[in-house]
């Protein structure tokens, strides 16, 4: 394997709608470069990229797969990503390590729902992006419509570099950057390079002028040159296009047939010569504010963006060399735990194939095996450099389920398997809720869940069920109540005696101190489950010894942990202990704890107790014309609409919705918007449950 320096490495992500042809394009690029001798296909389940059993079964990419190809002195690292929204976590990590994006569009459909959703997500990273209209060979391909839909999607500075043409039954591509026409044989591969036919000259020249103008706009010198000469040469155009891509002001469009290997060589050539490399991008800042130079002479910093467990290899950590270089057997420090890792072997991975390399330079992507202390999102660095690369921020989970093994004996195995799945895919979150007494799993959607289920069954041999999780209600009170309780057990041996008189009130932030009491002490307790308990010592004349007060409080807290109404946690109450009695011999801690608990429980039930339910904040993005359907559905879920923001032809609805009403929202939204809606959600606060809902719950 040749060693490439930082200027000769290009990292690109293939993104785009499901089935647009990303995996096929990656395969063709490896084949065209002579790195594989036989071209696999998605149908034959033998592509380099889709090598997992689940990808074969579903005939679609589920994981982002790093691959590489080499084209004319450049190494192109490709990360082939899945096109379905549920696997957006794979795109999140990919965005952290690539320099530019190849957005693949299916010429049959142009921009699809999936394209829109992915574009909406990746747009925030502002990576240089080029578009590839694929499948131009297909009988129902429509290049012009596809191009139009890209212009509509991006809304600015889209430029055609190529367009397809059929001449005498042969597939051709006219390239206006080179002002040449490529003519392909039926097998694709290397084309004949021809002059543009006479009847196309006018059209091609007009497109070239447009390209020149847009290329010149990105640089003052080029602009001057353009005014002087009235044109730009090929190199000048390239420079302008590159600057435009770097500024996110220019989006070139190519056309190919990945399946028939037409136009892929030219596309690789463009990536080599024009697409920015890591060294061209603005250097990133570390968490500490240190500039991370993409330079082999800088201190070494590797960023681990992906961790995979392969049955025969164990743990594989994928990393990008953000700065410096890494050689076999180098020792690096993990920035999270300061442990030293030795990188015994360095690999370049292409799907499941791997090649040992001696070293990798800044800007390159590689993998290593069996790290001991390192997880996804960790930085491995030259000791003392103090650099921590900013972590990947994963999208918030969108659905939550309670999960359990069908066979109770598998419970521990299930825990362990889910922990491993999480470490490979951080968008899968798992935690045991001692409150709900359920193992809670969150992920991106129903399809994502089906994938997790598949992995549990096929990789770990565990059959699991997924259910709607219980809802974590809270209890509180709405008015004050006063009670007393006497605990007395004075028959035989040592007796028990404790009597307390309390008043309880609803507590809220900023409320004035209680009136009419002789307050001698106040304890403010932040409850583990949220909310507060404020406990006032208002005992006069020493009727209860101060040493018994902690026991009274303990009794109250025990009741709050299992609320009197439904057994949910209670919160936001204040208690004034203002009177009581003790006995010189029989009083002790346990007696006062029991008295405190009983008095509190009784007072609570008399104080108009109320259930609170968790409310989620919800943000739903949909095309304008589908707003009505989405609003109607939200209203049927007891939502409060907070507002709407419009963004192009999309509306984002912000609402607050009870968690209890959110079950299967992703499925419903998909069906009422034909997949064109997307949403995010997170916990907001607790609010009172409507009376009719409360009655149902108390009955249960
Ligand atoms: N006709 C035609 N079909 C293609 C082309 N590229 C991909 N396909 C087919 O489109 C389907 C989806 O391809 P795949 O590479 O898995 O798409 P991905 O989901 O974007 O990775 C497969 O059946 C491919 O054979 C192309 O250039 N022309
Ligand atoms: Mg794919």
């Amino acid at each position: 394997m040749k060693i490439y320096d930082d200027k000769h490495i290009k990292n690109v992500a293939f993104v785009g709608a499901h089935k647009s042809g990303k995996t096929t394009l990656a395969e063709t690029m490896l084949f065209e470069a002579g790195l594989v001798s036989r071209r696999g296909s998605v149908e034959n389940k033998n592509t380099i990229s889709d090598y997992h059993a689940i990808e074969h079964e579903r005939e679609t990419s589920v994981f982002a797969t790093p691959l590489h190809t080499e084209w004319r002195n450049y190494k192109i690292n490709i990360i082939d990503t899945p096109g379905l929204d549920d696997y957006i976590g794979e795109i999140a990590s990919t965005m952290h390590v690539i320099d530019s994006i190849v957005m693949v569009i299916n010429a049959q459909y142009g921009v699809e729902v999936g394209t829109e959703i992915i574009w909406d997500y990746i747009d925030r990273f502002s990576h240089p992006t080029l578009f590839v209209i694929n499948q131009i060979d297909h009988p129902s391909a429509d290049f012009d419509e596809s191009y139009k839909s890209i212009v509509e999607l991006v809304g600015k500075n889209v430029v055609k570099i190529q367009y397809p043409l059929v001449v005498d039954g042969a597939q051709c591509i006219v390239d206006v950057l080179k002002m040449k026409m490529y003519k392909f044989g039926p097998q694709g591969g290397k084309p004949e390079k021809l002059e543009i036919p006479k009847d196309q000259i006018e059209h091609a020249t007009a497109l070239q002028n447009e390209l020149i103008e847009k290329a010149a706009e990105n640089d003052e010198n080029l602009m001057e040159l353009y005014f002087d000469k009235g044109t730009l040469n090929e190199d000048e155009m390239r420079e302008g296009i590159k600057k435009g891509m770097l500024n996110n002001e220019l989006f070139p469009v190519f056309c190919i047939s990945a399946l028939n290997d037409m136009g892929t060589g030219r596309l690789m050539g463009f990536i080599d010569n024009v697409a920015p490399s890591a060294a061209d991008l603005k250097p990133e800042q570390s968490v500490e504010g240190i500039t991370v130079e993409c330079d082999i002479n800088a201190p070494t910093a590797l960023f681990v963006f992906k961790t995979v467990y392969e049955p025969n290899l164990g743990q594989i950590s994928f990393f990008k060399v953000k700065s410096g270089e890494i050689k076999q057997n180098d020792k690096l420090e993990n920035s999270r735990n300061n442990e030293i890792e030795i990188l015994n072997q360095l690999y370049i991975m292409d799907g499941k194939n791997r090649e040992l390399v001696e070293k990798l330079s800044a800007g390159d992507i590689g993998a290593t095996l069996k790290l001991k202390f390192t997880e996804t999102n960790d930085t491995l660095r030259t000791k003392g450099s103090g650099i921590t690369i900013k972590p990947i921020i994963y999208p918030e989970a969108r659905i939550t389920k309670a999960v359990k093994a069908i066979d109770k004996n598998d419970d521990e195995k299930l825990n362990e398997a889910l922990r491993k799945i999480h470490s490979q895919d951080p968008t899968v979150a798992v935690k045991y809720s001692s409150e709900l007494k359920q193992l809670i799993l969150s992920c991106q959607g129903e399809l994502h869940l089906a994938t997790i289920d598949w992995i549990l069954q096929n990789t770990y041999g565990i059959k699991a069920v997924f259910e709607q999780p219980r809802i974590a209600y809270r209890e509180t009170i709405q008015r004050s109540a006063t009670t007393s309780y006497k605990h007395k057990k004075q028959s035989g041996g040592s007796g028990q005696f404790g009597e307390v008189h309390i008043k309880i009130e609803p507590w809220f932030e900023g409320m004035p101190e209680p009136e009419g009491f002789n307050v001698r002490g106040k304890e403010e307790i932040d409850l583990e489950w949220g909310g507060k308990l404020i406990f006032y010592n208002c005992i006069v004349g020493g009727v209860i010894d101060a040493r018994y007060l902690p026991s009274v409080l303990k009794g109250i807290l025990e009741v709050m942990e299992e609320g009197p109404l439904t057994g949910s946690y209670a919160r936001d109450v204040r208690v004034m202990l203002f009177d009581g009695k003790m006995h010189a011999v029989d009083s002790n801690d346990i007696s006062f704890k029991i008295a405190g608990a009983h008095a509190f429980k009784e007072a609570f039930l008399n104080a108009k107790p109320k259930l609170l339910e968790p409310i989620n904040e919800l943000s739903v993005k949909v095309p304008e014309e589908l707003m009505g359907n989405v609003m109607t559905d939200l209203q049927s879920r007891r939502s409060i609409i907070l507002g709407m923001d419009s963004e192009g032809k999309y509306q984002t609805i912000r609402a607050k919705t009870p968690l209890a009403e959110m079950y299967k929202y992703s499925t419903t939204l998909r069906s009422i918007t034909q997949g064109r809606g997307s949403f995010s959600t997170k916990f907001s606060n607790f609010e009172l449950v409507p009376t009719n809902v409360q009655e149902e719950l108390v009955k249960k």
Side-chain angles (χ1 to χ4, degrees), residues 139-167:
S140 42
D142 190 335
F143 177 83
D144 291 331
E145 277 304 313
S146 299
Y147 176 78
K148 259 196 232 159
S149 68
I150 297 171
V151 175
E152 209 176 300
L153 177 76
V154 177
K156 60 179 176 189
N157 297 339
V158 177
V159 289
K160 241 181 244 182
I161 305 272
Q162 304 178 327
Y163 65 93
L165 189 70
V166 175
V167 178

Side-chain angles (χ1 to χ4, degrees), residues 229-247:
K229 302 192 296 179
T231 186
L232 295 179
N233 65 30
E234 200 181 311
D235 282 340
E236 291 158 353
M237 274 191 261
R238 284 204 190 110
E239 199 189 321
I241 296 170
K242 182 174 188 164
K243 289 209 166 122
M245 287 178 74
L246 278 167
N247 297 338

Side-chain angles (χ1 to χ4, degrees), residues 22-23 50 60-61 80-82:
K22 303 175 290 294
T23 299
D50 284 358
T60 189
S61 310
D80 176 30
T81 68

